[in-house]
Amino acid sequence: MRPAEFEYHESRTVEEALSFLQLRGDEGVKVLAGGLSLVPMMKLRLAQPAHLVDITKIPTLSYIEESGNGGLRIGALTTYAAVSGSELVQKRCPILAEVTGILGDPQIRNVGTIGGNISNADPASDIGPMALALDVEMGIAGPQGRRTVKAADFYVDLFTTALDAGELLVEIVIPPLPSQTGFSYTKLNQRRADMGIVNAFSSVTLDGDIVKDVKVTVGAVAATPVRALQTEKILKGNVLTDELIVEAANAAADGIKPETDVHATAEYRTEMVKVLVKRTLTQAVKRAR
Amino acid sequence: MKKTITMTVNGQIMKAEVEPRTLLIDCLRDQLGLSGAKVGCVVGKCGACTIILNGLTVKSCMMFAVQADGAEIMTIEGLAGDGELHPMQQAFTDKSAVQCGFCTSGMVLTATQLAKDHPNASEEEIKDAIGGHICRCTGYVAIVDAIKEGCKRMSEQQG
Ligand SMILES: Cc1cc2nc3c(=O)[nH]c(=O)nc-3n(C[C@H](O)[C@H](O)[C@H](O)COP(=O)(O)OP(=O)(O)OC[C@H]3O[C@@H](n4cnc5c(N)ncnc54)[C@H](O)[C@@H]3O)c2cc1C
Ligand code: FES
Ligand code: FES
């Protein structure tokens, strides 16, 4: 359980990191952020990069700022603890503070980075369903300059993103949140520090008793976080009732084909999707009112 | 290629020559002789390897020693004063929160951090704080009691 040999490159600027990645633009190079996903993979020798580019000493990658239009810009290297403890995040996007505040355990939150989580694209990540539902944009730096990719296009497959080997995720942009909207996230796990067996996120915008807009996303049931489109369709434009929430939550399992693994069977996951979506919808509605 | 790193560990400047792949926990235990932090799971789940790095609790099995070049580190060995246990250590002893002791060094460090941030931590906050630690002996009840007591003693000491 110890990693294979590699060459270590400490970078102090984004440009320096990019040049290291350029020089070794192949499978033999990996970016090191919090290391919480990468280091275990290296110990198991499931990852054996010849070169590691440490980005944790780049001061300009760790920040939380307001964006002009009322949203937030967060540097990729910002830790979960810094995000959840930020007054600006608590004010502008309380659900983000909530999710990063319950993720893992205190030592994980002190080290793990929001950019590392998103780049890693673990299907059970707590950030994935939220990023998809909030339409978060990823700021990417590469040899050709900057580009942005929306969450819906960023998560490509299991542990696979739109990032090219020579690119760095540098910023996460959260658009301004709509008003009269409630957000809710929940995960099902055995120990409180574990990743979810199923994760669900709901965002509900109300106009009186009518559902003006709704987004529901689920994690840990497919290769990437997915939207529960049928659930959204049942709710959108309709008068909210308890029965409608149940009907919509049950529809979240339509079209989802989760896997059976050591944590849970596919059948159990399918049932739990309905339960968790119902819980998040109910809480989001309460918060929207 | 080996690299020489310099760290301030428990107030003392220490140097070590490490390969990039050397984990920080292995450097502390095998090269610097500080065996208070333990190796349990090596995958970040048990918390036995917890240390305080630049003021924050971290699991030292999850990072490379080269990354700690220039860092300030505190391990359990740095906690007690001259021949006297730290109030949190004393509370663990008094409340019989130690059985085999393997989880204790990490638990105590996490508990001292909690006491600094939340001197009046509730039972729920204590449970959340030790969420990254596994104890295979005590069943946690005595540990939660000890942390409650330790927080109280630490804030009394500060006056
Ligand atoms: C005990 C434990 C409990 C955990 N619990 C949870 C949990 O409850 N919920 C949850 O969501 N996660 C959990 N995690 C995973 C954790 O959140 C990781 O921090 C996260 O998956 C990866 O972030 P990192 O900063 O550690 O990245 P790293 O491990 O350093 O990197 C992960 C991957 O992303 C790449 N990468 C990192 N940063 C960038 C970047 N800026 N640009 C391009 N590529 C990059 C790396 O090359 C690597 O392939 C847990 C991990 C552990 C060990
Ligand atoms: S040995 Fe580091 S967390 Fe278990
Ligand atoms: S006292 Fe033995 S593991 Fe906690």
Side-chain angles (χ1 to χ4, degrees):
Chain A
M1 284 293 278
R2 294 296 185 277
E5 287 181 25
F6 59 84
E7 221 177 290
Y8 174 77
H9 308 277
E10 186 181 294
S11 31
R12 298 272 166 178
T13 63
V14 169
E15 292 67 36
E16 201 183 353
L18 286 176
S19 68
F20 281 132
L21 290 174
Q22 255 332 86
L23 281 172
R24 342 266 183 195
D26 54 42
E27 280 304 296
V29 62
K30 281 255 176 217
V31 175
L32 176 65
L36 298 175
S37 296
L38 183 56
V39 175
M41 294 291 280
M42 290 173 65
K43 288 173 186 165
L44 293 166
R45 310 276 167 118
L46 292 171
Q48 281 201 42
H51 302 273
L52 266 199
V53 179
D54 186 354
I55 61 168
T56 58
K57 310 280 166 71
I58 305 180
T60 57
L61 279 184
S62 193
Y63 58 88
I64 300 167
E65 285 169 7
E66 295 185 71
S67 68
N69 59 1
L72 286 173
R73 298 178 174 280
I74 301 180
L77 207 58
T78 314
T79 62
Y80 306 125
V83 173
S84 66
S86 152
E87 274 176 32
L88 187 58
V89 175
Q90 286 160 10
K91 200 174 89 197
R92 277 289 164 79
C93 190
I95 188 68
L96 174 62
E98 189 181 314
V99 172
T100 48
I102 55 138
L103 190 158
D105 59 56
Q107 294 100 309
I108 297 300
R109 298 197 283 271
N110 282 341
V111 171
T113 69
I114 188 138
N117 190 305
I118 291 173
S119 306
N120 195 49
D122 188 314
S125 152
D126 288 319
I127 306 291
M130 175 172 54
L132 188 59
L134 298 185
D135 222 4
V136 167
E137 233 174 53
M138 315 303 168
I140 299 170
Q144 263 79 51
R146 288 282 292 254
R147 66 183 180 117
T148 56
V149 178
K150 293 221 175 211
D153 301 317
F154 186 82
Y155 292 104
V156 174
D157 203 346
L158 201 65
F159 298 104
T160 308
T161 69
L163 283 170
D164 286 333
E167 288 183 320
L168 211 56
L169 176 62
V170 288
E171 185 174 73
I172 285 91
V173 183
I174 298 166
L177 302 184
S179 57
Q180 269 110 43
T181 304
F183 303 93
S184 171
Y185 175 72
T186 192
K187 65 171 164 180
L188 178 74
N189 52 9
Q190 286 179 321
R191 293 172 65 217
R192 68 174 81 196
D194 284 345
M195 304 199 61
I197 293 166
V198 173
N199 308 333
F201 187 99
S202 289
S203 146
V204 179
T205 308
L206 289 180
D207 182 0
D209 267 341
I210 295 179
V211 180
K212 205 168 129 199
D213 201 6
V214 56
K215 274 205 182 138
V216 178
T217 52
V218 225
V221 295
T224 65
V226 286
R227 269 178 74 181
L229 292 169
Q230 192 56 27
T231 300
E232 295 177 6
K233 205 171 133 199
I234 290 171
L235 290 166
K236 198 167 170 174
N238 288 319
V239 175
L240 202 63
T241 61
D242 290 348
E243 295 74 42
L244 193 69
I245 289 182
V246 172
E247 188 195 333
N250 287 341
D254 294 355
I256 287 175
K257 293 225 169 345
E259 306 256 328
T260 292
D261 63 16
V262 290
H263 303 294
T265 61
E267 292 87 336
Y268 182 68
R269 280 203 163 89
T270 309
E271 284 309 305
M272 288 307 110
V273 166
K274 303 178 197 170
V275 175
L276 264 63
V277 167
K278 180 171 164 232
R279 282 184 197 162
T280 56
L281 278 173
T282 307
Q283 194 182 35
V285 165
K286 222 183 260 166
R287 289 175 170 180
R289 281 197 165 128
Chain B
M1 201 179 58
K2 287 200 175 177
K3 191 181 165 199
T4 305
I5 57 169
T6 311
M7 308 173 280
T8 308
V9 187
N10 302 327
Q12 257 184 296
I13 294 178
M14 294 192 174
K15 281 186 193 302
E17 214 181 296
V18 292
E19 278 186 79
R21 64 171 170 164
T22 304
L23 300 175
L24 180 55
I25 180 73
D26 292 337
C27 172
L28 291 171
R29 290 175 54 87
D30 303 342
Q31 288 178 267
L32 302 182
L34 295 166
S35 56
K38 309 292 182 217
V39 183
C41 63
V42 227
V43 291
K45 288 199 181 258
C46 76
C49 64
T50 298
I51 60 164
I52 298 179
L53 179 90
N54 296 328
L56 297 172
T57 51
V58 305
K59 293 171 176 173
S60 62
C61 72
M62 300 299 278
M63 62 183 287
F64 299 109
V66 281
Q67 295 182 275
D69 191 15
E72 196 154 319
I73 289 175
M74 179 155 99
T75 67
I76 192 71
E77 285 91 342
L79 198 58
D82 251 345
E84 208 180 302
L85 290 182
H86 181 279
M88 190 60 79
Q89 288 173 310
Q90 192 60 53
F92 268 67
T93 314
D94 295 346
K95 294 284 175 185
S96 304
V98 181
Q99 286 187 26
C100 81
F102 206 82
C103 70
T104 312
S105 54
M107 288 275 192
V108 168
L109 286 179
T110 286
T112 58
Q113 280 306 96
L114 174 73
K116 276 186 199 139
D117 302 339
H118 304 275
N120 301 311
S122 66
E123 185 154 332
E124 213 30 49
E125 283 169 327
I126 292 173
K127 287 182 180 168
D128 184 55
I130 60 170
H133 295 267
I134 293 175
C135 175
R136 307 198 85 170
C137 306
T138 65
Y140 301 99
V141 176
I143 291 178
V144 173
D145 281 350
I147 296 177
K148 236 183 260 169
E149 181 64 23
C151 286
K152 208 170 94 200
R153 291 184 193 174
M154 276 176 72
S155 56
E156 278 166 10
Q157 204 181 47
Q158 267 146 25

Coordinates of all heavy atoms in Angstrom, one line a residue, chain A residues 1-8 10 32-36 39-40 42-43 45 52 54 56-57 101 105-111 191-194, chain B residues 3 19-21 23 26 39 41-45 47 50 56-59 61-64 66-69 110 124 127-129 131-134:
Chain A
M1 N 0.8 -1.2 0.0 CA 0.0 0.0 0.0 C 0.9 1.3 0.0 O 0.6 2.2 0.7 CB -0.9 0.0 1.2 CG -2.1 -0.9 1.1 SD -3.3 -0.4 -0.2 CE -4.2 0.9 0.7
R2 N 1.9 1.3 -0.8 CA 2.7 2.5 -0.9 C 2.9 2.8 -2.4 O 2.9 1.8 -3.2 CB 4.1 2.3 -0.3 CG 4.1 2.2 1.2 CD 3.5 3.4 1.9 NE 3.6 3.4 3.4 CZ 2.7 2.8 4.2 NH1 1.6 2.2 3.7 NH2 2.8 2.8 5.5
P3 N 2.9 4.0 -2.8 CA 2.9 4.4 -4.3 C 4.2 4.0 -4.9 O 5.2 3.8 -4.3 CB 2.8 5.9 -4.3 CG 2.3 6.3 -2.9 CD 2.8 5.2 -2.0
A4 N 4.2 3.8 -6.3 CA 5.4 3.6 -7.1 C 6.2 4.9 -7.2 O 5.6 5.9 -6.8 CB 5.0 3.1 -8.4
E5 N 7.4 4.8 -7.7 CA 8.2 6.0 -7.8 C 7.6 7.0 -8.8 O 7.0 6.5 -9.8 CB 9.6 5.6 -8.2 CG 10.4 4.9 -7.1 CD 11.8 4.6 -7.6 OE1 12.3 5.2 -8.5 OE2 12.4 3.6 -7.0
F6 N 7.9 8.2 -8.6 CA 7.5 9.3 -9.6 C 8.4 10.5 -9.4 O 9.1 10.6 -8.4 CB 6.0 9.7 -9.4 CG 5.7 10.2 -8.0 CD1 5.9 11.6 -7.7 CD2 5.2 9.4 -7.0 CE1 5.7 12.1 -6.5 CE2 4.9 9.9 -5.8 CZ 5.1 11.2 -5.5
E7 N 8.4 11.4 -10.3 CA 9.1 12.6 -10.2 C 8.2 13.7 -9.8 O 7.0 13.8 -10.3 CB 9.7 13.0 -11.6 CG 11.1 13.5 -11.5 CD 11.7 13.8 -12.9 OE1 11.9 12.8 -13.6 OE2 11.8 15.0 -13.2
Y8 N 8.6 14.5 -8.8 CA 7.7 15.5 -8.2 C 8.0 16.9 -8.7 O 9.2 17.3 -8.7 CB 7.9 15.4 -6.7 CG 7.2 16.5 -5.9 CD1 5.9 16.4 -5.6 CD2 7.9 17.6 -5.3 CE1 5.2 17.3 -4.8 CE2 7.3 18.5 -4.6 CZ 5.9 18.4 -4.3 OH 5.3 19.4 -3.6
E10 N 6.9 20.8 -8.2 CA 6.1 21.8 -7.4 C 6.0 23.1 -8.3 O 7.0 23.6 -8.8 CB 6.9 22.1 -6.1 CG 6.1 23.0 -5.2 CD 6.9 23.3 -3.9 OE1 7.2 22.4 -3.2 OE2 7.3 24.5 -3.8
L32 N -1.6 17.0 -8.8 CA -1.9 16.7 -7.4 C -2.5 17.9 -6.7 O -1.9 19.0 -6.6 CB -0.6 16.3 -6.7 CG -0.6 16.0 -5.2 CD1 -1.4 14.8 -4.9 CD2 0.8 15.9 -4.6
A33 N -3.8 17.7 -6.2 CA -4.4 18.8 -5.5 C -4.5 18.3 -4.0 O -3.4 18.1 -3.4 CB -5.8 19.1 -6.0
G34 N -5.7 18.0 -3.5 CA -5.8 17.6 -2.1 C -5.2 16.2 -1.9 O -4.9 15.7 -0.8
G35 N -5.1 15.4 -3.0 CA -4.5 14.1 -3.0 C -5.5 13.0 -2.4 O -5.1 11.8 -2.4
L36 N -6.7 13.4 -2.0 CA -7.5 12.4 -1.3 C -8.1 11.3 -2.2 O -8.4 10.3 -1.7 CB -8.6 13.2 -0.6 CG -8.2 14.2 0.5 CD1 -9.3 15.0 1.0 CD2 -7.4 13.5 1.6
V39 N -4.0 10.0 -4.2 CA -3.0 9.2 -3.4 C -3.4 7.8 -3.2 O -2.6 6.8 -3.4 CB -2.6 10.0 -2.2 CG1 -1.6 9.2 -1.3 CG2 -1.9 11.3 -2.5
P40 N -4.7 7.5 -2.8 CA -5.1 6.1 -2.6 C -5.0 5.3 -3.9 O -4.6 4.2 -3.9 CB -6.6 6.2 -2.2 CG -6.8 7.6 -1.7 CD -5.7 8.5 -2.3
M42 N -2.9 5.8 -6.2 CA -1.4 5.5 -6.4 C -0.9 4.4 -5.5 O -0.1 3.6 -5.9 CB -0.6 6.8 -6.2 CG -0.9 7.8 -7.4 SD -0.1 9.4 -7.1 CE 1.7 9.0 -7.1
K43 N -1.5 4.4 -4.3 CA -1.1 3.3 -3.4 C -1.5 1.9 -3.9 O -0.8 0.9 -3.8 CB -1.7 3.5 -2.0 CG -1.1 4.7 -1.2 CD -2.0 4.9 0.0 CE -1.5 6.2 0.7 NZ -2.5 6.6 1.7
R45 N -1.8 1.3 -6.9 CA -1.1 1.2 -8.2 C -2.2 1.2 -9.4 O -1.9 0.7 -10.4 CB -0.2 0.0 -8.3 CG 0.8 -0.2 -7.1 CD 2.0 0.7 -7.3 NE 2.8 0.8 -6.1 CZ 4.0 0.3 -5.9 NH1 4.7 -0.3 -7.0 NH2 4.7 0.5 -4.8
L52 N 4.3 13.9 -11.1 CA 3.2 14.6 -10.4 C 3.5 16.1 -10.3 O 4.6 16.5 -10.0 CB 3.2 14.1 -8.9 CG 2.3 12.9 -8.5 CD1 2.0 13.0 -7.0 CD2 1.0 13.0 -9.2
D54 N 2.4 19.2 -8.5 CA 1.8 19.7 -7.3 C 1.3 21.1 -7.5 O 2.1 22.0 -7.7 CB 2.8 19.6 -6.1 CG 2.1 19.9 -4.8 OD1 1.0 20.3 -4.8 OD2 2.8 19.8 -3.7
T56 N -0.7 22.6 -5.2 CA -1.2 23.1 -3.9 C -0.4 24.3 -3.4 O -0.9 25.0 -2.4 CB -1.1 22.0 -2.8 OG1 0.2 21.6 -2.6 CG2 -2.0 20.8 -3.1
K57 N 0.7 24.7 -4.0 CA 1.4 25.8 -3.6 C 1.2 27.0 -4.5 O 2.0 28.0 -4.5 CB 2.9 25.5 -3.6 CG 3.3 24.2 -2.8 CD 3.3 24.4 -1.3 CE 3.3 23.1 -0.5 NZ 4.6 22.4 -0.6
G101 N -20.0 21.6 3.9 CA -19.9 21.4 5.4 C -20.2 20.0 5.9 O -19.8 19.7 7.0
D105 N -15.2 14.3 6.4 CA -15.0 14.6 7.9 C -14.1 15.8 8.0 O -13.6 16.3 7.0 CB -14.5 13.3 8.6 CG -13.1 12.9 8.0 OD1 -12.2 13.8 7.9 OD2 -13.0 11.8 7.6
P106 N -13.9 16.3 9.2 CA -13.1 17.6 9.3 C -11.7 17.5 8.6 O -11.4 18.5 8.0 CB -13.0 17.8 10.8 CG -14.2 17.1 11.4 CD -14.5 15.9 10.5
Q107 N -11.0 16.4 8.8 CA -9.7 16.4 8.2 C -9.8 16.4 6.7 O -8.9 16.9 6.0 CB -8.9 15.1 8.6 CG -8.6 15.1 10.1 CD -9.5 14.3 10.9 OE1 -10.7 14.4 10.8 NE2 -9.0 13.3 11.7
I108 N -10.8 15.7 6.1 CA -11.0 15.7 4.7 C -11.4 17.1 4.2 O -10.9 17.6 3.2 CB -12.2 14.7 4.3 CG1 -11.8 13.3 4.7 CG2 -12.6 14.8 2.8 CD1 -10.6 12.7 4.1
R109 N -12.2 17.8 5.0 CA -12.6 19.1 4.5 C -11.5 20.1 4.6 O -11.5 21.1 3.9 CB -13.8 19.6 5.4 CG -15.0 18.7 5.3 CD -16.3 19.4 5.8 NE -16.4 19.4 7.2 CZ -17.0 18.5 8.0 NH1 -17.5 17.4 7.4 NH2 -17.1 18.6 9.3
N110 N -10.5 19.9 5.5 CA -9.3 20.8 5.6 C -8.4 20.6 4.4 O -7.6 21.5 4.2 CB -8.5 20.4 6.9 CG -9.1 21.0 8.1 OD1 -10.0 21.9 8.1 ND2 -8.8 20.4 9.3
V111 N -8.5 19.5 3.7 CA -7.5 19.2 2.6 C -8.1 19.2 1.2 O -7.6 19.6 0.3 CB -6.8 17.9 3.0 CG1 -5.9 17.5 1.8 CG2 -5.9 18.0 4.2
R191 N -21.8 5.5 7.5 CA -21.1 6.3 8.5 C -21.3 7.8 7.9 O -21.3 8.0 6.8 CB -19.6 6.0 8.6 CG -19.4 4.7 9.2 CD -17.9 4.4 9.1 NE -17.1 5.3 9.9 CZ -15.9 5.8 9.5 NH1 -15.4 5.6 8.3 NH2 -15.2 6.6 10.3
R192 N -21.3 8.7 8.9 CA -21.6 10.1 8.4 C -20.5 10.6 7.5 O -20.7 11.5 6.7 CB -21.9 11.1 9.5 CG -20.7 11.4 10.4 CD -21.1 12.4 11.4 NE -21.9 11.9 12.6 CZ -22.6 12.6 13.4 NH1 -22.7 13.9 13.2 NH2 -23.3 12.1 14.4
A193 N -19.2 10.0 7.6 CA -18.1 10.5 6.8 C -18.0 9.8 5.4 O -17.2 10.2 4.6 CB -16.8 10.4 7.5
D194 N -18.9 8.9 5.2 CA -18.8 8.1 3.9 C -19.4 8.8 2.7 O -20.3 9.7 2.9 CB -19.6 6.7 4.0 CG -18.8 5.8 4.9 OD1 -17.6 6.0 5.1 OD2 -19.4 4.7 5.3
Chain B
K3 N 15.1 14.2 -1.9 CA 15.0 15.6 -1.7 C 15.2 15.9 -0.2 O 14.6 15.1 0.6 CB 13.7 16.2 -2.2 CG 13.7 17.7 -2.3 CD 12.3 18.2 -2.8 CE 12.3 19.7 -2.4 NZ 11.0 20.3 -2.4
E19 N 12.3 10.3 -0.5 CA 11.9 10.1 -1.9 C 10.6 10.9 -2.1 O 9.8 11.0 -1.1 CB 11.6 8.7 -2.2 CG 12.8 7.8 -2.5 CD 12.3 6.4 -2.8 OE1 11.9 6.2 -4.0 OE2 12.3 5.5 -1.9
P20 N 10.2 11.3 -3.3 CA 8.9 12.0 -3.5 C 7.8 11.1 -3.1 O 6.7 11.6 -2.6 CB 8.9 12.2 -5.0 CG 10.3 12.3 -5.4 CD 11.0 11.4 -4.5
R21 N 7.9 9.8 -3.2 CA 6.8 8.9 -2.9 C 6.6 8.6 -1.4 O 5.7 7.9 -1.0 CB 6.9 7.6 -3.7 CG 8.1 6.8 -3.3 CD 7.9 5.4 -3.9 NE 9.2 4.6 -3.8 CZ 9.2 3.3 -4.0 NH1 8.1 2.7 -4.4 NH2 10.3 2.7 -4.0
L23 N 5.4 8.8 2.1 CA 4.2 9.4 2.8 C 4.7 10.2 4.0 O 5.7 9.8 4.7 CB 3.2 8.4 3.2 CG 2.6 7.5 2.1 CD1 1.7 6.4 2.7 CD2 1.9 8.3 1.0
D26 N 5.0 8.1 7.1 CA 6.2 7.2 7.2 C 7.5 8.0 7.5 O 8.3 7.5 8.3 CB 6.4 6.5 5.8 CG 5.3 5.5 5.6 OD1 4.6 5.0 6.6 OD2 5.0 5.2 4.4
V39 N -0.2 4.2 11.9 CA -0.7 3.8 10.6 C -1.8 2.8 10.7 O -1.6 1.7 11.2 CB 0.4 3.2 9.7 CG1 -0.1 2.9 8.3 CG2 1.6 4.2 9.6
C41 N -5.4 2.5 8.5 CA -5.9 2.0 7.2 C -5.1 2.4 6.0 O -5.2 1.8 5.0 CB -7.3 2.6 7.1 SG -7.3 4.4 6.9
V42 N -4.3 3.5 6.1 CA -3.6 4.1 5.0 C -4.4 4.6 3.9 O -3.9 4.9 2.8 CB -2.4 3.3 4.4 CG1 -1.2 4.1 4.3 CG2 -2.2 2.0 5.1
V43 N -5.7 4.7 4.0 CA -6.6 5.2 2.9 C -7.4 6.4 3.4 O -8.4 6.7 2.7 CB -7.5 4.1 2.3 CG1 -6.6 3.1 1.5 CG2 -8.3 3.4 3.3
G44 N -7.1 7.0 4.5 CA -7.8 8.2 4.9 C -9.1 8.0 5.7 O -9.8 8.9 5.9
K45 N -9.3 6.8 6.1 CA -10.6 6.5 6.8 C -10.6 6.5 8.3 O -11.6 6.7 8.9 CB -11.2 5.2 6.2 CG -11.7 5.4 4.8 CD -12.7 4.3 4.4 CE -13.2 4.5 3.0 NZ -14.5 5.1 2.9
G47 N -8.2 7.8 10.7 CA -7.8 9.0 11.5 C -6.6 8.7 12.4 O -6.2 9.6 13.1
T50 N -3.6 11.1 12.2 CA -3.9 12.6 12.3 C -2.8 13.4 12.9 O -2.3 13.0 14.0 CB -5.2 12.8 13.0 OG1 -6.3 12.2 12.3 CG2 -5.5 14.3 13.1
L56 N -4.0 23.0 11.0 CA -5.2 22.3 10.6 C -5.0 20.8 10.8 O -3.9 20.3 10.5 CB -5.6 22.5 9.1 CG -5.9 23.9 8.7 CD1 -6.1 24.0 7.2 CD2 -7.2 24.4 9.4
T57 N -6.0 20.1 11.3 CA -5.9 18.6 11.4 C -5.9 18.0 10.0 O -6.8 18.3 9.2 CB -7.0 18.0 12.2 OG1 -8.3 18.5 11.7 CG2 -6.9 18.4 13.7
V58 N -5.0 17.1 9.8 CA -4.9 16.4 8.5 C -4.5 14.9 8.7 O -4.0 14.6 9.8 CB -3.9 17.0 7.5 CG1 -4.2 18.5 7.2 CG2 -2.5 16.8 7.9
K59 N -4.9 14.1 7.8 CA -4.5 12.7 7.9 C -3.2 12.5 7.1 O -3.1 12.7 5.9 CB -5.6 11.8 7.3 CG -6.9 11.9 8.1 CD -8.0 11.2 7.5 CE -9.2 11.3 8.4 NZ -10.5 10.8 7.8
C61 N -1.3 10.2 6.3 CA -1.1 9.1 5.3 C -1.6 9.5 3.9 O -1.4 8.7 3.0 CB -1.9 7.8 5.7 SG -3.7 7.9 5.5
M62 N -2.2 10.7 3.8 CA -2.8 11.1 2.5 C -1.9 12.1 1.8 O -2.4 12.6 0.8 CB -4.2 11.6 2.7 CG -5.1 10.6 3.3 SD -5.4 9.1 2.4 CE -6.6 9.7 1.2
M63 N -0.8 12.4 2.3 CA 0.1 13.3 1.6 C 1.5 12.9 1.6 O 1.9 12.0 2.4 CB -0.1 14.7 2.2 CG 0.3 14.9 3.6 SD 0.0 16.6 4.2 CE 1.3 17.5 3.3
F64 N 2.3 13.5 0.7 CA 3.7 13.1 0.6 C 4.5 14.0 1.4 O 4.2 15.2 1.6 CB 4.1 13.2 -0.9 CG 3.4 12.3 -1.8 CD1 2.5 12.7 -2.7 CD2 3.6 10.9 -1.7 CE1 1.7 11.9 -3.5 CE2 2.9 10.0 -2.5 CZ 2.0 10.5 -3.4
V66 N 7.4 15.4 0.9 CA 7.9 16.6 0.1 C 6.9 17.7 0.2 O 7.4 18.9 0.1 CB 8.2 16.2 -1.4 CG1 9.5 15.5 -1.5 CG2 7.1 15.5 -2.0
Q67 N 5.6 17.5 0.3 CA 4.7 18.6 0.3 C 4.8 19.3 1.6 O 4.2 20.4 1.7 CB 3.3 18.0 0.1 CG 3.0 17.4 -1.2 CD 1.6 16.9 -1.3 OE1 1.2 15.8 -0.9 NE2 0.7 17.8 -1.9
A68 N 5.3 18.7 2.7 CA 5.4 19.4 4.0 C 6.7 20.2 4.1 O 7.0 20.7 5.2 CB 5.3 18.3 5.1
D69 N 7.5 20.3 3.1 CA 8.7 21.1 3.2 C 8.3 22.5 3.6 O 7.5 23.2 3.0 CB 9.4 21.1 1.8 CG 10.8 21.7 1.9 OD1 11.3 21.8 3.0 OD2 11.4 22.0 0.8
T110 N -7.5 15.9 17.3 CA -8.8 16.4 16.8 C -9.6 17.1 17.9 O -10.2 18.2 17.7 CB -9.6 15.3 16.2 OG1 -9.0 14.9 14.9 CG2 -11.1 15.7 15.9
E124 N -23.5 16.5 19.6 CA -23.6 16.4 18.1 C -22.3 16.9 17.4 O -21.8 16.3 16.5 CB -24.8 17.2 17.7 CG -25.6 16.6 16.5 CD -25.6 15.1 16.3 OE1 -25.9 14.4 17.3 OE2 -25.4 14.7 15.2
K127 N -19.5 14.5 18.0 CA -19.6 13.3 17.1 C -19.2 13.7 15.7 O -18.5 12.9 15.0 CB -21.0 12.8 17.1 CG -21.3 12.1 18.4 CD -22.7 11.5 18.4 CE -23.0 10.8 19.7 NZ -24.4 10.4 19.9
D128 N -19.6 14.9 15.2 CA -19.2 15.3 13.9 C -17.6 15.5 13.8 O -17.0 15.1 12.8 CB -19.9 16.6 13.5 CG -19.6 17.0 12.0 OD1 -19.8 16.1 11.2 OD2 -19.1 18.1 11.8
A129 N -17.1 16.0 14.8 CA -15.6 16.3 14.8 C -14.8 15.0 14.8 O -13.8 15.0 14.1 CB -15.2 17.1 16.1
G131 N -15.8 12.3 13.3 CA -16.3 11.5 12.2 C -15.2 10.9 11.4 O -15.5 9.9 10.7
G132 N -14.0 11.4 11.4 CA -12.9 10.9 10.6 C -12.0 10.0 11.4 O -10.9 9.7 11.0
H133 N -12.5 9.5 12.5 CA -11.7 8.6 13.4 C -12.5 7.3 13.6 O -13.7 7.3 13.8 CB -11.4 9.2 14.7 CG -10.5 10.4 14.6 ND1 -9.2 10.3 14.8 CD2 -10.8 11.7 14.4 CE1 -8.7 11.6 14.6 NE2 -9.7 12.4 14.4
I134 N -11.8 6.2 13.6 CA -12.4 4.9 14.0 C -11.7 4.4 15.3 O -10.5 4.4 15.4 CB -12.2 3.9 12.9 CG1 -13.1 4.3 11.6 CG2 -12.7 2.5 13.3 CD1 -12.9 3.4 10.4

